[in-house]
Amino acid sequence: MRQNPSSLVVVANRLPIDDSVAPDGACEWRRSPGGLVSALHPLLRHTPATWVGWAGGTGPAPRLPAIDGVRMHCVALTAEDLRDHYEGFANATLWPLYHDAVEQPEYHRRWWEAYQRVNQRFAEAAAAVAEPGGLVWVQDYHLQLVPRLLRALRPDLRIGFFLHVPFPPPELFMQLPRRAELLRGMLGADLIGFQRAQAAHNFAQLVVKVLDLPATDRRIGVDDRVVRVGAYPVSIDTAEMAALAGRPDVTARARRLRHDLGDPQQVILSVDRMDYTKGIEQRLKAYSELLAGGDVKVRDTVLVQVAVPSRERVGQYQILRDRVEREVGRINGEFGRVGEPAIHYLTQPFDRAELAALYRVADVMAVTPLRDGMNLVAKEYVAARVDDTGALLLSEFAGAAAELEQAYLVNPHDLEGLKQMLLTALRASPDDVGDRMRAMRAHLHRHDIRAWARSYLSALDQTGSLVTRLGSTG
Ligand code: ADP
Ligand code: G6P
């Protein structure tokens, strides 16, 4: 059955829902954790759009109902695609390379073949559902070839591309055996968006160096077209998170959580996907040294570490999880007491209300990635602090640090610096904490997810009709 074509099509590797098994054994659908989905899902709600993506399994594509008015168009991946495209080229080649090569990227020719094949499939799916002259917005590193492939199939479309992760400096990108094809793939778009101006600069430099095209940080000439490039820092639905965090049941839940944690003087919280880019091990080491040195005491201060498993079949992720769990066990064994663990370690996915309650209970939120495109958890924490309390400890290497300048900024590679800044955040005066939080909340109020979409889409959609429609939803 052919569905009606859409004027806005979002193409992302992942659909906003994930199949998972309910306690009674039935298959259930829930929102997938991850920044891309957190950003786009609230934005598109009630917009007549189609989301083209993968539902998280292998085998034939399931037929999915529309969610909040957004049509779901599922692209199937075979077991081989999953291994070589998603786990391979996307998450064991590009992901580590784009995050400062904090883990060694791997290069395999078979993975590249799968990347091309899966990108072609996504391009064909988008071509099939976009209305004539419609707008297609391609997302993230899994699909860098789609803009060019789609333009070949449907030259009538306006095509946007947005990269949620960092775009690396030339000396790292140059390692990629198929670097020219990846750049050409992105240049099929009319507008290429990055999180930060530095990424746009890196991209322009590479286009000159590898493809010998005329390029500035804002405009690139390709054949007879001009491709525009820019920085559009992604955000969150600030008002939604604030409303959730202020709900009486969430406030009550936060109180209950604090009580269940033993009513400590201070709660430190971290919420991450279990990923080696998030600096979880460095943070645990800092915390453990503070405990060992007597700077913090388990009875007064607890750490809640939420680390939802991610990309679990990729070797580097398995190794990380083992190491983190061994370290949490060691720290609890050494510093905890009966009924008083030093770290409360949780690996479950939570619904938005439970996350909001956790944010409300945290006196200090420790967000210390080694490298991160943006980090929406940091923004969610700020949005949830409706009473202007709470200290945000934030890595300089998260995209969010460029905007949340009033956070307690830290270099997570510097263990002593990390320990000192964590203590500074724990011991800061309420006035200092309040001034910083107010400034960050004011920033997020102006720069929310709708402002992001408006600025990106108005640059892409010169007729402006779509932007007007998005602006009126919510
Ligand atoms: P990344 O995109 O690398 O995962 P971000 O911080 O940008 O990092 O986004 C993570 C998103 O996933 C946030 O919106 C956060 O609320 C969500 N998330 C993280 N952990 C969980 C969890 N345990 N349950 C539900 N959502 C989670
Ligand atoms: C990051 C990426 C997203 C991805 C998310 C979750 O935010 O930029 O594209 O969806 O992580 O990762 P996963 O592999 O589960 O899709």
Side-chain angles (χ1 to χ4, degrees):
M1 193 185 63
R2 246 187 103 78
Q3 63 177 43
N4 290 334
S6 280
S7 56
L8 172 62
V9 177
V10 164
V11 190
N13 180 65
R14 206 174 260 294
L15 287 171
I17 48 172
D18 213 354
D19 57 344
S20 52
V21 179
D24 63 2
C27 178
E28 65 176 21
W29 295 95
R30 67 176 176 218
R31 177 158 143 176
S32 23
L36 183 151
V37 166
S38 295
L40 289 170
H41 186 229
L43 179 72
L44 293 178
R45 213 164 24 200
H46 312 305
T47 303
T50 298
W51 188 315
V52 174
W54 166 64
T58 53
R63 211 168 245 301
L64 300 174
I67 297 179
D68 296 333
V70 183
R71 283 185 286 201
M72 299 289 131
H73 185 93
C74 185
V75 176
L77 293 192
T78 64
E80 208 181 3
D81 298 332
L82 179 74
R83 187 189 66 206
D84 294 345
H85 164 75
Y86 171 73
E87 294 167 350
F89 198 79
N91 285 314
T93 303
L94 294 180
W95 179 271
L97 185 75
Y98 285 13
H99 290 85
D100 287 356
V102 290
E103 287 287 345
Q104 183 62 40
E106 288 181 47
Y107 303 108
H108 298 291
R109 283 166 288 187
R110 202 182 59 236
W111 290 359
W112 171 249
E113 281 158 27
Y115 189 77
Q116 288 174 290
R117 171 173 82 233
V118 171
N119 272 250
Q120 181 68 36
R121 199 175 308 148
F122 273 83
E124 284 167 12
V129 298
E131 79 173 24
L135 204 146
V136 178
W137 196 3
V138 183
Q139 311 286 324
D140 232 355
Y141 59 101
H142 317 80
L143 301 177
Q144 280 174 231
L145 304 180
V146 168
R148 183 165 197 241
L149 295 168
L150 182 58
R151 183 169 294 282
L153 293 168
R154 291 285 305 270
D156 59 300
L157 298 173
R158 285 199 76 71
I159 303 172
F161 179 80
F162 185 80
L163 190 72
H164 291 253
V165 299
F167 190 78
E171 54 276 22
L172 275 179
F173 190 86
M174 289 301 282
Q175 286 186 14
L176 273 170
R178 309 311 288 258
R179 58 204 184 193
E181 285 96 322
L182 280 164
L183 295 174
R184 274 196 215 100
M186 292 164 78
L187 287 170
D190 295 294
L191 175 65
I192 300 175
F194 295 99
Q195 302 276 24
R196 302 189 62 167
Q198 181 62 47
H201 179 66
N202 293 345
F203 182 74
Q205 280 191 307
L206 277 158
V207 163
V208 174
K209 191 176 166 86
V210 177
L211 302 180
D212 197 21
L213 292 173
T216 68
D217 292 5
R218 292 172 168 270
R219 297 165 82 81
I220 299 171
V222 186
D223 307 326
D224 53 350
R225 298 184 301 122
V226 171
V227 177
R228 278 166 311 136
V229 179
Y232 301 87
V234 75
S235 195
I236 58 162
D237 191 337
T238 313
E240 185 201 43
M241 178 49 83
L244 195 57
R247 252 173 36 189
D249 58 324
V250 171
T251 311
R253 175 69 188 140
R255 260 200 307 272
R256 177 85 220 164
L257 277 168
R258 189 162 205 111
H259 176 73
D260 291 347
L261 289 168
D263 283 319
Q265 285 167 19
Q266 293 204 289
V267 176
I268 308 169
L269 173 68
S270 289
V271 176
D272 306 286
R273 269 185 315 99
M274 178 72 84
D275 197 298
Y276 49 80
T277 59
K278 303 291 182 184
I280 301 172
E281 291 185 277
Q282 288 76 359
R283 194 186 306 142
L284 290 178
K285 191 163 173 53
Y287 184 59
S288 133
E289 288 196 9
L290 288 176
L291 286 169
D295 297 293
V296 293
K297 301 218 167 21
V298 167
R299 179 148 299 161
D300 305 333
T301 308
V302 297
L303 171 63
V304 179
Q305 171 68 65
V306 178
V308 65
S310 182
R311 307 172 191 167
E312 289 176 84
R313 299 190 334 165
V314 179
Q316 289 158 335
Y317 287 76
Q318 290 168 350
I319 293 169
L320 173 75
R321 184 169 180 178
D322 286 350
R323 287 210 304 242
V324 165
E325 298 196 340
R326 205 171 321 127
E327 187 61 3
V328 169
R330 184 192 70 77
I331 296 172
N332 277 338
E334 206 164 312
F335 301 104
R337 302 176 193 200
V338 174
E340 272 181 9
I343 303 175
H344 294 256
Y345 174 69
L346 305 162
T347 58
Q348 307 129 48
F350 294 116
D351 64 25
R352 306 300 292 165
E354 185 72 3
L355 275 176
L358 280 164
Y359 292 144
R360 286 222 55 191
V361 108
D363 305 291
V364 175
M365 180 86 203
V367 183
T368 57
L370 305 177
R371 176 62 72 188
D372 213 328
M374 175 52 63
N375 197 293
L376 295 183
V377 163
K379 291 189 171 181
E380 289 170 357
Y381 176 67
V382 170
R385 302 303 298 191
V386 285
D387 55 3
D388 291 333
T389 61
L392 174 64
L393 179 73
L394 180 62
S395 163
E396 292 166 13
F397 302 109
E403 296 175 77
L404 304 178
E405 296 164 341
Q406 297 82 4
Y408 295 89
L409 292 174
V410 69
N411 169 5
H413 299 276
D414 170 10
L415 192 60
E416 279 309 315
L418 185 53
K419 286 164 62 182
Q420 283 315 314
M421 200 49 98
L422 183 53
L423 284 180
T424 303
L426 284 166
R427 293 171 181 170
S429 73
D431 282 352
D432 185 37
V433 165
D435 288 348
R436 289 168 184 256
M437 187 51 81
R438 253 186 305 282
M440 293 191 286
R441 287 176 55 72
H443 174 86
L444 273 195
H445 183 70
R446 291 190 306 273
H447 298 92
D448 69 350
I449 189 66
R450 259 171 275 280
W452 173 71
R454 256 197 306 278
S455 71
Y456 183 90
L457 290 174
S458 57
L460 177 60
D461 168 34
Q462 277 145 352
T463 67
S465 59
L466 182 77
V467 181
T468 314
R469 231 178 308 151
L470 270 173
S472 64
T473 62

